[in-house]
Amino acid sequence: MCESCEFGFDRRTFLGSTLALTATGSFSASSEEEVRIPPRPKELPVIWVVFLYPPAEVVYAGQLEDQWRTHQWFTWPGNQFQPEDQERKFTEKLKEMGQRLNVRLHFAPQAIYQSAKVEEFIQAAKQAAPDAVLVINFWNTFAEWSFRIATETCARSIVYQPVGSNHQLPREYLRQTPGLWYIHSIENWSELERSLRAVRASKMVSQSRLLRVSTRVKNVTEEGDRDLGVEIVHVPTQELIAIFDAITPEAPHFLQAQQLKQMAAGVWDVADEYLVEAVRAHQAVQTIMARYGADAVTIECLMLKQRKPCVSFAILNGMLTPAGCENMVDGTITMMIGRWLWDRAGFMHNPEYDTSENLYMGAHCTCAWKLHGPTGPDQKFIIRPFFHQLPKTAALDVQWTPGEEVVLAKYYSGGKKICGWTGEVLTSPPCPPVGGCATRVLVRIDKVEDVCSTYPGIHPILFCVSRKEAKALRAFAHLLKLEWIGNI
């Protein structure tokens, strides 16, 4: 772990405290007896990779299984494409991506160019049941084979065909089939990586557990998101309150409260006692997450008074543990998707609109200052009261970087639908003159005549993601066969 990851302190400061505020378990269940449900087992995503093209000698001998064989004809990409060299280059690049993203790639031992070998690969892949198959097709007349492999082996697949290896229009069955992400581009490593990230997100989210803490339940219950496979455990709010109330403030809590204060650019109207309460709330949140083996959490938090977890959620999200306020399943699962697509924290917020200037504003109290991941830069933030007060507990006013490219996203649990809109940060408008909540960010959404038409419903998520990288969300939607809404 990098020296600056533990709550943003330098290593010397961090080691001076025995109870650092991190999202890695410093404040977790203290004994095995407290663990009610163990974490879900996790497996890395597995993708099978196969290349399609014939050796030159097979074409020259007139033995290739296409309509041009009697002419010893090289269809597109032609006889100077050097497919063997291209395969080596693609393999090297993919292996590097797989290692960096923790995706296991299984490469077919040699390129396929015979119908019998296509059948053999399809049957082997069916039996192995990888999470996805990636077909890299270097031969125009093999497009149908690439489609068969993609659709007969897995529910999710990627077909990559370089520009110049297809004649005339790309096949519509490749471009339009749900669950098949078709890449037709020129040596586009970024798009290949985005497709691997989409498969990774699908796999990891499907193995995750979301803890939902709510006053609406009296007993622990379980359900699931049927489209993505997220396991959802409902726990009564009273259990979290009991955990918090059992925590006695001690010296380490006071130390961490002061460290948080020192990190801030300013503290406005928040007493030190409420910084200590924020530390206690963080310990309580981590404890209940550990107790139920949770990978993410959402809490009905508005009326928790001094126990509100605003600061805890900012810490957790910055360390890529999705934490959503107000018992909001859709928004929290959206953050879980973004965590695995981009390795970025999401900002759950309420939307507002400047209809005169056609601008979008997101506002809420749980924004991470690590918007670019645990090793990314810190955003400047001010500690100020939770805007509804009850009482004046600590929340963070995080300053977003003007010019930052962002994506506005929302997954609709049970609705088989997802939306995504790209845009650009204009400013973090001060309060006053605007209201809303502790963190406010003003965004210009790309290519919309009426910004209100982008309304995604309550509690969507903003991510600091470039317009190009936002395409991974579109790939995710297509691979999962989700209805798509947006401008990506």
Side-chain angles (χ1 to χ4, degrees):
M1 182 177 286
C2 68
E3 288 192 351
S4 63
C5 287
E6 294 96 349
F7 199 49
F9 308 137
D10 62 78
R11 187 167 182 80
R12 182 174 299 175
T13 302
F14 172 74
L15 291 175
S17 171
T18 58
L19 290 176
L21 282 171
T22 72
T24 56
S26 298
F27 290 135
S28 59
S30 60
S31 67
E32 291 185 5
E33 289 74 18
E34 292 188 41
V35 176
R36 309 279 174 80
I37 305 177
R40 294 182 72 183
K42 305 290 192 295
E43 295 180 355
L44 297 179
V46 176
I47 301 176
W48 275 33
V49 185
V50 62
F51 290 85
L52 303 183
Y53 68 86
E57 57 269 22
V58 173
V59 182
Y60 284 129
Q63 297 174 347
L64 186 61
E65 299 175 14
D66 71 2
Q67 68 269 31
W68 300 104
R69 62 182 177 273
T70 58
H71 306 288
Q72 296 83 46
W73 186 270
F74 284 79
T75 186
W76 283 34
N79 66 344
Q80 297 183 50
F81 181 71
Q82 300 175 331
E84 291 86 355
D85 290 343
Q86 294 300 312
E87 179 182 355
R88 283 190 285 271
K89 181 189 292 186
F90 273 72
T91 299
E92 181 180 339
K93 291 282 188 180
L94 286 167
K95 284 182 176 179
E96 183 276 325
M97 292 178 200
Q99 183 175 15
R100 179 162 42 82
L101 298 176
N102 274 335
V103 174
R104 291 178 178 169
L105 300 174
H106 171 80
F107 291 83
Q110 60 186 28
I112 292 176
Y113 60 92
Q114 299 160 306
S115 59
K117 293 295 182 181
V118 170
E119 296 291 345
E120 184 179 307
F121 182 87
I122 289 173
Q123 295 308 314
K126 279 183 178 180
Q127 184 173 359
D131 297 294
V133 64
L134 168 58
V135 184
I136 301 175
N137 181 20
F138 292 154
W139 201 256
N140 177 41
T141 58
F142 290 175
E144 188 173 344
W145 283 353
S146 69
F147 180 74
R148 284 200 58 208
I149 293 171
T151 56
E152 295 181 25
T153 55
C154 292
R156 288 177 271 283
S157 57
I158 306 152
V159 173
Y160 184 102
Q161 191 164 0
V163 170
S165 63
N166 177 78
H167 194 267
Q168 308 296 327
L169 284 173
R171 278 69 164 180
E172 284 299 293
Y173 54 74
L174 290 171
R175 296 181 64 233
Q176 302 298 339
T177 298
L180 190 166
W181 185 244
Y182 181 58
I183 304 172
H184 190 46
S185 191
I186 302 174
E187 208 167 77
N188 197 331
W189 312 122
S190 295
E191 186 71 0
L192 271 169
E193 178 169 327
R194 285 189 283 270
S195 66
L196 298 191
R197 285 179 174 272
V199 174
R200 181 183 75 165
S202 170
K203 176 71 170 183
M204 300 312 292
V205 169
S206 73
Q207 301 176 106
S208 297
R209 178 179 298 133
L210 169 60
L211 180 64
R212 193 175 185 185
V213 181
S214 171
T215 60
R216 304 174 194 178
V217 297
K218 302 303 180 185
N219 301 294
V220 176
T221 59
E222 298 182 30
E223 61 171 325
D225 177 272
R226 61 178 179 268
D227 295 327
L228 300 188
V230 178
E231 186 178 284
I232 303 172
V233 175
H234 299 258
V235 176
T237 302
Q238 192 56 45
E239 186 170 339
L240 177 66
I241 291 174
I243 293 171
F244 179 97
D245 291 350
I247 297 169
T248 302
E250 298 176 346
H253 298 91
F254 293 100
L255 173 60
Q256 294 305 309
Q258 288 304 308
Q259 288 173 328
L260 176 64
K261 188 174 181 179
Q262 291 165 14
M263 290 175 61
V267 180
W268 296 354
D269 198 25
V270 176
D272 284 358
E273 66 177 289
Y274 289 119
L275 297 179
V276 175
E277 299 295 64
V279 175
R280 292 175 70 198
H282 184 52
Q283 180 176 351
V285 171
Q286 285 193 285
T287 299
I288 200 167
M289 289 187 70
R291 182 176 289 181
Y292 290 97
D295 303 288
V297 65
T298 183
I299 296 173
E300 190 177 335
C301 50
L302 289 179
M303 299 302 171
L304 288 177
K305 299 184 179 179
Q306 77 276 14
R307 308 176 188 89
K308 288 192 293 294
C310 304
V311 172
S312 178
F313 282 10
I315 298 167
L316 289 168
N317 284 317
M319 298 300 292
L320 302 183
T321 298
C325 32
E326 298 186 53
N327 195 26
M328 184 53 56
V329 168
D330 291 4
T332 310
I333 294 180
T334 306
M335 289 196 286
M336 295 166 74
I337 295 168
R339 179 264 177 271
W340 290 109
L341 277 183
W342 302 302
D343 303 300
R344 297 287 173 91
F347 173 41
M348 180 183 285
H349 61 275
N350 284 312
E352 244 280 46
Y353 300 87
D354 184 330
T355 57
S356 295
E357 300 299 325
N358 207 39
L359 301 177
Y360 180 95
M361 188 180 83
H364 228 299
C365 53
T366 60
C367 185
W369 66 87
K370 284 284 191 182
L371 290 173
H372 301 84
T375 62
D378 292 356
Q379 302 295 127
K380 175 183 173 182
F381 68 89
I382 298 161
I383 300 173
R384 62 191 307 171
F386 174 71
F387 268 42
H388 308 298
Q389 299 190 9
L390 296 173
K392 291 184 179 181
T393 52
L396 304 186
D397 185 345
V398 177
Q399 304 298 296
W400 290 55
T401 304
E404 179 95 57
E405 295 180 19
V406 294
V407 61
L408 170 67
K410 176 75 175 290
Y411 166 71
Y412 300 87
S413 181
K416 212 169 181 60
K417 181 169 67 173
I418 198 167
C419 71
W421 305 86
T422 59
E424 185 174 301
V425 173
L426 297 181
T427 186
S428 291
C431 175
V434 303
C437 208
T439 293
R440 301 152 315 283
V441 55
L442 196 65
V443 174
R444 187 181 301 281
I445 302 293
D446 296 331
K447 301 176 182 177
V448 293
E449 292 185 6
D450 178 6
V451 69
C452 293
S453 67
T454 68
Y455 178 64
I458 190 171
H459 288 159
I461 311 299
L462 273 170
F463 295 93
C464 288
V465 172
S466 72
R467 293 176 176 92
K468 283 191 174 182
E469 297 312 305
K471 293 171 65 179
L473 184 64
R474 184 68 186 269
F476 178 87
H478 196 77
L479 287 169
L480 273 293
K481 303 178 183 179
L482 303 175
E483 178 188 347
W484 173 257
I485 303 168
N487 66 356
I488 301 172

